[in-house]
Amino acid sequence: MNNQQAIDRLLKHMEWGWTEETAKAIELGIQALKENTWIPCSERLPEENTNVIACFSNGTVTELAFYNGEFHGLFSYTTKVIVAWMPLPEVFRG
């Protein structure tokens, strides 16, 4: 099951009329799954001046900055090379 399938299943469960506490837990689960989902560049691009995790067309994954409408690392990349991205995870606080 991928993230979108899990989100769809959780949304379907929301229709069952859970308690407010359970509904909130399901909403938090949906939010967490959305934050860890690849976003195709064809759907939308990151906000300007944002660092993201980017996936190249060959499957390589790395952190890049997005500004001036392009992805930047050692070189600049267009959406012909970068096919998807996701926000960086939150910083670990132990």
Side-chain angles (χ1 to χ4, degrees), residues 48-69:
E48 281 291 314
N49 302 315
T50 303
N51 289 343
V52 298
I53 299 171
C55 182
F56 286 77
S57 56
N58 68 2
T60 300
V61 173
T62 191
E63 180 182 345
L64 296 174
F66 184 80
Y67 58 90
N68 295 330

Side-chain angles (χ1 to χ4, degrees), residues 14 18-31:
M14 288 293 286
W18 297 99
T19 65
E20 185 176 333
E21 185 176 284
T22 301
K24 183 66 176 170
I26 292 171
E27 289 170 3
L28 289 171
I30 291 170
Q31 180 181 347

Side-chain angles (χ1 to χ4, degrees), residues 45-49 65-72 76-79:
L45 294 174
E47 292 181 21
E48 281 291 314
N49 302 315
F66 184 80
Y67 58 90
N68 295 330
E70 292 186 328
F71 294 90
H72 299 273
S76 295
Y77 304 98
T78 66
T79 56

